[in-house]
């Protein structure tokens, strides 16, 4: 580690803390839990930690902040991003927000373990907020400790960066440090608490505002603060819409709907299940935010959710994410109503979401299949059949699309066995496929071949197009767990290897093939691999 702070860019970052400067803050400065009224944030200080150690950092995020490798490897970096040292002009604060959790209004939530350090203006004049997750108590910590454990921090760190490289809107992660302290967690709320290593991720985004950030003021009838926050958001993050007015509020809400639809379509493309789509976990910028009990589809199953806390209702299951996003947008519309006072245009925008999403989804699905465009007359049937075929037996969605890309479509004379052979890798128990299943799969494959033939796209071109939207590498649930297991032993090599792998998720990377394999049987029921809870 080097520690010559004179030569570090870290000490000369340009901060412009607009959020705390322009919005009303909490006059109280103690960290005690309380209801915070008429304020968008409270001033807080990150807790000091005993022995912080850097596990990993993202070089792309560092570069976008103007930080060099020397910066990231400095002692100062570890001290700052563990919360031990504040740089001059940092204005640490926790935001106040509310939210609907599992369909019910939950009142004030807020940054219970997230602390925004500062807003960096980079060389390109872009705003990046630095936020520590797991850096100690705030007035919003309610009954919890404000801390985070290594397992959930590894998951958040790796998945943020994986999503970015998949081309999916997301908050980013600059760094992952361990604190040298232990945190007590009852992982499955079953009365068996354990000591786990504590960790802190520094998240980075242009804004961390959520739907719940607006809902809290509407719920309290605090229209004045609501208006200030909405106007602030439009001026800061949506300046292209013009100066705030009723029409601009509507345009803004419409843009939030479009961005949300885009984000969910991306999730459906890669098989990502967020796991807790409460309104406090919906970013106003349409970014994937708050990586908790998320998971990646292994076997294609629209009813699957990784979140054990949601096991009974499966509200946040894979196939329900678009409807839930719309439900959440409806809550946001309710919160904005006092500023607009016209239900009709808000209702029109919400209703339009269904068509908007469907159209985006259809385009995405056609791209996954390497088709030039979506042709409703033929492709609705193709899609419905595929949806059924993928559920005949446990079929790994990620592998299926990569193998489909490899298929030759100019060989209509193949026998069923020849036709299906390249796809066999995608099945968890190929021997479980019945004769009837195979016939249905082959019928679909022939239907697909004809459809590709209609387009006239040569196989090599189609393959290239498909492999650019169907990743080979995603952060499979068990792989993140393996990285955590090692990191808990003090070995950060797998975290860093995965970070590197997931920088190029669409590339073959043949030497990394083992990370593209199906989930091994041992991981099917192991905690952390297939079962996750909100305890993190
Ligand atoms: P989540 O389910 O992670 O989105 O969190 C919901 C709410 O609980 C947010 O207000 C979080 O800040 C808060 N929260 C979650 N975990 C903790 C924790 N360990 N300490 C304090 N607050 C927490
Ligand atoms: Mg949250």
């Amino acid at each position: 580690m080097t520690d010559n702070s004179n030569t570090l860019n870290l000490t000369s970052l340009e901060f412009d803390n607009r959020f705390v400067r322009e919005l009303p803050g909490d006059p109280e400065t103690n960290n005690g839990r309380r209801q915070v009224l008429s304020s968008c944030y409270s001033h807080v200080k990150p807790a000091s930690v005993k022995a912080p150690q850097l596990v990993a950092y993202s070089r792309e995020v560092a570069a976008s902040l103007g930080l060099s490798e020397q910066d990231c490897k400095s002692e100062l970096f570890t001290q700052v991003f563990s919360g031990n040292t504040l740089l001059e002009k940092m204005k640490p604060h926790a935001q106040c927000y509310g939210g609907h959790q599992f369909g019910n209004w939950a009142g004030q939530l807020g940054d219970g373990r997230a602390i925004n350090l500062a807003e960096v203006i980079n060389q390109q004049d872009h705003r990046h907020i630095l936020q520590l997750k797991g850096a100690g108590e705030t007035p919003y910590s309610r009954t919890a400790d404000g801390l985070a454990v290594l397992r959930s921090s590894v998951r958040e760190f790796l998945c943020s960066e994986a999503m970015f490289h998949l081309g999916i809107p997301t908050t980013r992660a600059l760094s992952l440090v361990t604190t040298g302290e232990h945190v007590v967690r009852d992982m499955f709320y079953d009365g068996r608490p354990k000591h786990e290593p504590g960790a802190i991720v520094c998240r980075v985004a242009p804004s961390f505002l959520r739907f719940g950030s607006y809902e809290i003021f509407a719920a309290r009838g605090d229209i004045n603060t609501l208006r200030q926050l909405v106007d602030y958001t439009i001026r800061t993050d949506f300046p292209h819409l013009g100066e705030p007015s009723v029409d601009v509020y509507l345009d803004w809400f419409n843009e939030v709907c479009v961005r949300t639809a885009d984000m969910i379509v991306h999730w459906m493309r890669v098989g990502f299940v967020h796991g807790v789509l409460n309104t406090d976990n919906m970013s106003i910028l349409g970014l994937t935010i708050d990586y908790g009990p998320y998971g990646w589809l292994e076997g294609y199953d629209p009813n699957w959710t990784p979140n054990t806390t949601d096991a009974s209702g499966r509200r946040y299951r894979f196939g329900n994410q678009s409807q839930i996003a719309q439900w959440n947008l409806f809550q946001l519309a309710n919160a904005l109503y006092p500023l607009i006072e016209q239900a009709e245009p808000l209702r029109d925008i919400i209703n339009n979401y269904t068509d908007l999403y469907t159209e985006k989804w259809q385009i995405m699905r056609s791209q996954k299949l390497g088709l030039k465009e979506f042709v409703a007359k033929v492709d609705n049937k193709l899609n419905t059949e595929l949806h059924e075929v993928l559920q005949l037996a446990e079929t790994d969605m990620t592998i299926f699309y990569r193998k489909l890309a490899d298929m030759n479509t100019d060989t209509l004379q193949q026998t069923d066995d020849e036709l299906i052979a390249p796809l066999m890798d995608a099945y968890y128990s190929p021997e479980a496929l019945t004769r009837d299943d195979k016939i249905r799969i082959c019928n679909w494959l022939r239907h697909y071949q004809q459809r590709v033939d209609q387009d006239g796209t040569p196989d090599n071109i189609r393959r290239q197009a498909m492999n650019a939207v169907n990743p080979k590498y995603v952060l499979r649930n068990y792989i993140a767990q393996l990285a955590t297991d090692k990191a808990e032993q003090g070995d950060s090599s797998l975290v860093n290897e995965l970070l590197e792998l997931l920088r190029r998720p669409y590339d073959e990377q043949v030497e990394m093939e083992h990370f593209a394999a199906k989930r091994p049987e041992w991981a099917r029921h192991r905690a952390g691999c297939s079962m996750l809870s909100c305890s993190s």
Side-chain angles (χ1 to χ4, degrees):
M1 293 237 176
T2 51
D3 202 6
N4 188 350
S5 40
N6 296 334
T7 61
L8 295 179
N9 300 335
L10 190 53
T11 52
S12 52
L13 290 176
E14 187 191 335
F15 296 136
D16 173 46
N17 301 313
R18 190 168 174 182
F19 193 87
V20 290
R21 192 174 62 237
E22 295 190 3
L23 289 168
D26 178 7
E28 283 263 352
T29 50
N30 77 72
N31 262 5
R33 276 88 160 153
R34 59 200 135 86
Q35 291 293 307
V36 176
L37 303 179
S38 313
S39 308
C40 296
Y41 63 90
S42 303
H43 294 283
V44 287
K45 285 213 170 57
S48 292
V49 299
K50 209 159 53 186
Q53 273 195 333
L54 183 67
V55 175
Y57 68 92
S58 157
R59 60 182 189 267
E60 289 88 2
V61 179
S64 69
L65 295 166
L67 299 178
S68 65
E69 186 180 341
Q70 192 198 354
D71 281 297
C72 299
K73 292 188 169 162
S74 69
E75 181 58 26
L76 183 65
F77 184 90
T78 302
Q79 293 298 336
V80 169
F81 295 109
S82 61
N84 272 356
T85 302
L86 286 174
L87 296 173
E88 210 183 317
K89 300 205 179 126
M90 280 184 161
K91 287 262 187 288
H93 63 278
Q95 290 184 0
C96 180
Y97 55 78
H100 278 85
Q101 297 187 314
F102 296 93
N104 301 307
W105 175 243
Q108 177 182 295
L109 299 168
D111 285 332
R113 57 165 164 180
I115 296 180
N116 300 286
L117 292 176
E119 302 179 29
V120 176
I121 306 294
N122 73 1
Q123 300 256 302
Q124 291 72 42
D125 222 20
H126 295 151
R127 183 174 301 270
H128 291 294
I129 300 178
L130 305 176
Q131 181 186 80
L132 301 184
K133 183 167 176 180
E137 292 168 301
T138 77
Y140 310 97
S141 298
R142 299 181 292 154
T143 56
D145 55 11
L147 306 175
V149 294
L150 184 55
R151 87 184 128 80
S152 64
S153 305
V154 164
R155 286 167 49 81
E156 169 126 27
F157 176 80
L158 284 177
C159 202
S160 309
E161 292 308 287
M163 292 290 263
F164 169 77
H165 292 293
L166 284 163
I168 302 176
T170 177
T171 61
R172 304 292 301 275
L174 169 65
S175 55
L176 167 62
V177 296
T178 45
T179 59
E181 295 178 6
H182 279 102
V183 174
V184 178
R185 283 290 178 272
D186 186 356
M187 192 168 164
F188 288 107
Y189 309 112
D190 59 0
R192 290 186 297 166
K194 267 188 17 187
H195 285 276
E196 297 188 46
I200 298 175
V201 170
C202 177
R203 309 199 286 192
V204 179
S207 167
F208 285 98
L209 287 166
R210 304 124 191 280
F211 292 6
S213 308
Y214 307 88
E215 285 181 277
I216 186 74
F217 299 114
R220 289 171 168 170
D222 180 358
I223 309 310
N224 188 25
T225 313
L226 173 68
R227 186 184 307 278
Q228 286 186 64
L229 184 63
V230 169
D231 291 359
Y232 172 87
T233 309
I234 291 170
R235 290 191 178 116
T236 310
D237 294 305
F238 297 78
H240 53 279
L241 296 177
E243 267 302 288
S245 65
V246 168
D247 283 345
V248 168
Y249 294 152
L250 288 167
D251 290 348
W252 173 59
F253 180 60
N254 188 55
E255 187 167 335
V256 175
C257 289
V258 173
R259 290 188 189 206
T260 302
D262 274 331
M263 173 185 78
I264 306 275
V265 167
H266 276 296
W267 293 356
M268 302 310 282
R269 169 172 68 86
V270 299
F272 177 80
V273 190
H274 182 286
V276 216
L277 274 184
N278 293 332
T279 56
D280 56 301
N281 292 339
M282 297 289 294
S283 144
I284 202 67
L285 297 182
L287 306 174
T288 313
I289 191 172
D290 276 7
Y291 291 89
Y294 70 81
W296 294 83
L297 273 196
E298 287 153 348
Y300 178 84
D301 174 4
N303 289 320
W304 184 71
T305 175
N307 185 0
T308 52
T309 316
D310 187 27
S312 54
R314 293 180 185 261
R315 180 178 171 86
Y316 300 137
R317 62 191 184 272
F318 178 66
N320 206 31
Q321 298 191 110
S322 166
Q323 279 95 310
I324 284 296
Q326 188 177 27
W327 190 92
N328 289 340
L329 285 162
F330 188 76
Q331 306 313 316
L332 178 62
N334 274 341
L336 301 180
Y337 175 78
L339 303 184
I340 296 168
E341 293 186 317
Q342 302 165 49
E344 186 109 355
L346 279 169
R347 203 176 301 127
D348 288 348
I349 296 171
I350 280 279
N351 289 341
N352 185 46
Y353 170 89
T354 312
D355 289 346
L356 182 80
Y357 174 80
T358 306
E359 194 181 321
K360 287 174 186 290
W361 184 90
Q362 285 164 339
I363 294 170
M364 173 277 285
R365 178 45 94 63
S366 297
Q367 287 172 342
K368 278 182 86 66
L369 294 177
L371 304 176
K372 281 187 182 148
E373 59 182 343
F374 176 77
V375 181
K377 214 166 53 200
V378 275
D379 294 339
N380 275 329
K381 184 153 183 273
L382 191 74
N383 282 334
T384 313
E385 284 174 3
L386 175 57
H387 183 71
E388 287 163 11
V389 157
L390 282 169
Q391 292 176 80
L392 290 175
E394 197 179 7
T395 315
D396 191 280
M397 172 174 145
T398 308
I399 299 176
F400 180 88
Y401 281 102
R402 290 295 281 209
K403 295 293 170 190
L404 191 67
D406 285 343
M407 208 177 96
N408 290 327
T409 55
D410 51 4
T411 47
L412 284 172
Q413 300 314 319
Q414 284 167 323
T415 63
D416 279 7
D417 282 343
E418 284 165 353
L419 189 62
I420 205 173
L423 287 172
M424 277 304 172
D425 257 1
Y427 292 100
Y428 278 85
S429 316
E431 66 286 352
L433 285 173
T434 64
R435 175 100 206 100
D436 194 45
D437 293 339
K438 285 187 178 167
I439 291 172
R440 286 183 66 186
I441 296 166
C442 288
N443 285 346
W444 185 83
L445 289 172
R446 293 206 166 86
H447 186 173
Y448 172 62
Q449 285 180 324
Q450 283 161 11
R451 178 64 184 83
V452 170
D453 202 42
Q454 247 173 34
D455 265 2
T457 311
D459 274 343
N460 60 335
I461 303 287
R462 179 183 57 90
R463 186 167 303 136
Q464 234 175 30
M466 288 174 75
N467 287 349
V469 293
N470 297 316
K472 174 160 176 178
Y473 298 100
V474 294
L475 185 59
R476 288 176 179 272
N477 312 314
Y478 78 93
I479 293 177
Q481 184 60 43
L482 292 178
T484 300
D485 290 346
K486 276 203 166 172
E488 286 182 347
Q489 304 305 314
D491 175 358
S492 59
S493 60
L494 190 50
V495 172
N496 282 286
E497 193 180 353
L498 292 176
L499 181 64
E500 199 54 38
L501 171 83
L502 296 167
R503 292 178 70 234
R504 295 184 290 127
Y506 301 101
D507 289 3
E508 280 300 320
Q509 307 192 56
V510 276
E511 70 290 2
M512 295 294 190
E513 201 81 36
H514 51 290
F515 290 125
K518 286 182 290 244
R519 172 205 60 226
E521 245 345 89
W522 61 260
R524 184 183 287 273
H525 300 297
R526 193 183 146 185
C529 299
S530 59
M531 295 183 292
L532 295 140
S533 75
C534 288
S535 166
S536 56

